[in-house]
Amino acid sequence: MAALDRWERRLVAIARVIPYFVLTVTTVLYTIFTTQSVPERWFTYGVVAFGFVWMAWWFTLHPAWHRRPELMAVFIGGMVVFYAVLGMREHWFGAVSYAVYIYASELLRGRWMFVVVALTAGLATLSLFGGYPPPGEEAAFWLLLLVFVVLACTFTYVGHVTTEQSRQRKELLDENEGLHAQLLVQAHEAGVQDERHRMAGEIHDTLAQGLAGIITQLSAATAADWERRVAVAAELARANLAEARRSVHALRPPALDSAALHEALDDVASGWSKHNGVPISVTLTGAVRETHPEVEVALLRTAQEALANVAKHASASRVGLTLSYMEDVVTLDVRDDGVGFDLTAPSDGFGLPAMRHRVHRLSGALFVESEPGAGTAISARVPA
């Protein structure tokens, strides 16, 4: 693309030089071959000098004027008049018509471009014949005029279309670059936000739940069982310290290091039941299949969060955990027979939002069913 841009800039530079080059070459040829008198020559040289000054002043020295249609209309009109005077004085200047074609294709749009080009082609034909032809040559004149007009309009239109396509291509590239930069910024912001959600969820799933469990054990300690309660609290502290370190480094939970998901859920459920004294049943349905590590982590963390909520709020006597492998989804259900809660009541807890975020990140869905006195059911469904 860079090479094409360089070639395009070179072609534009060449196109800007062509009018001066053509006018110079035709002036040299005129000087060599003309049969005009000395006064007529000096008048012609004056017209040529006017042409150089006109092109330099209106076009070359003031590029900002190119975007002002009213000024460019004056410039193009002056070029047509200049060419008409010069071409009618000597047929050697007929090639100066190329200068008018170039300026018309670059500065004019629509029908005015074709009007100026056709008029210039007509002047070129008159210049070639030295004016309107005498009788007998009229057919050749009109045929040549038709050829000149058709060719001039065709090639000018092709050049105009090429220029417009190049301009649109540049605009599209600039727009794509802007969109690319915007997408990079958005991707960075999304990554930062996602990492914040991940860390918040991990902190909640490890430190917050661990501290809540430790507080529960210590608060329930009595003179008869304080040693057991303290030992359980110390075990929870060590386990959650390890979990916190793994969370900081985005590592898998230790329960999944050497066990499949259903085995890890068994371990989590038995540990939770042991610490909280609430019986729990774990059921596996469907054929066990290999799933993405993020799916396993999300379901394990969802189970841990649901069980932590049961321990803190439900006052349940039984809990059921079901892991279901279906054709294209894996479903985790956690049900308890506790006190339940009102789903319409506002809540400032982090547990349910954290579970929803984990599941939604994997294009899954989280469903919660509960009502006061009727227990709670949480169902997480994610693609297998």
Side-chain angles (χ1 to χ4, degrees), residues 242-306:
E243 285 273 15
R245 287 171 176 165
R246 288 173 173 271
S247 297
V248 169
H249 294 90
L251 300 176
R252 284 161 60 85
L256 291 172
D257 277 345
S258 57
L261 176 60
H262 64 283
E263 297 171 336
L265 289 174
D266 273 331
D267 293 339
V268 168
S270 61
W272 181 88
S273 180
K274 174 184 175 183
H275 295 153
N276 293 279
V278 178
I280 183 172
S281 62
V282 179
T283 305
L284 175 65
T285 65
V288 176
R289 58 197 299 184
E290 184 178 356
T291 57
H292 193 281
E294 288 193 28
V295 171
E296 296 182 346
V297 172
L299 293 177
L300 181 66
R301 292 303 194 197
T302 300
Q304 290 174 324
E305 175 61 30

Side-chain angles (χ1 to χ4, degrees), residues 210-227:
L211 290 173
I214 292 170
I215 292 171
T216 300
Q217 294 295 328
L218 295 179
S219 299
T222 62
D225 65 352
W226 69 271
E227 291 183 352

Side-chain angles (χ1 to χ4, degrees), residues 135-173:
E137 297 181 8
E138 293 176 339
F141 170 81
W142 287 106
L143 179 61
L144 198 59
L145 174 64
L146 177 64
V147 172
F148 277 11
V149 170
V150 170
L151 290 178
C153 290
T154 300
F155 284 109
T156 301
Y157 178 71
V158 170
H160 171 71
V161 170
T162 303
T163 302
E164 283 297 302
Q165 288 178 339
S166 176
R167 181 184 61 81
Q168 292 175 5
R169 176 178 61 85
K170 286 184 177 180
E171 291 179 354
L172 184 61
L173 287 175

Side-chain angles (χ1 to χ4, degrees), residues 11-145:
L11 290 175
V12 170
I14 292 173
R16 299 288 171 83
V17 173
I18 283 178
Y20 297 97
F21 174 76
V22 170
L23 186 55
T24 301
V25 171
T26 53
T27 302
V28 171
L29 293 174
Y30 165 78
T31 302
I32 296 173
F33 296 104
T34 186
T35 58
Q36 291 180 346
S37 64
V38 173
E40 290 177 325
R41 290 188 183 187
W42 283 111
F43 180 82
T44 301
Y45 291 147
V47 176
V48 170
F50 168 83
F52 277 113
V53 173
W54 186 265
M55 291 187 297
W57 176 256
W58 285 90
F59 188 84
T60 305
L61 298 179
H62 298 91
W65 290 1
H66 300 176
R67 295 184 294 273
R68 299 178 62 178
E70 68 281 0
L71 293 181
M72 290 301 95
V74 174
F75 169 63
I76 294 294
M79 286 297 300
V80 172
V81 173
F82 159 72
Y83 176 62
V85 173
L86 198 61
M88 291 299 100
R89 293 192 61 79
E90 180 62 59
H91 70 275
W92 289 107
F93 292 104
V96 179
S97 60
Y98 288 109
V100 185
Y101 298 150
I102 290 174
Y103 290 134
S105 65
E106 181 172 351
L107 301 175
L108 300 179
R109 298 291 181 270
R111 66 177 182 273
W112 285 110
M113 179 180 67
F114 293 105
V115 169
V116 170
V117 169
L119 177 60
T120 304
L123 293 173
T125 309
L126 289 171
S127 175
L128 182 63
F129 279 84
Y132 191 78
E137 297 181 8
E138 293 176 339
F141 170 81
W142 287 106
L143 179 61
L144 198 59
L145 174 64

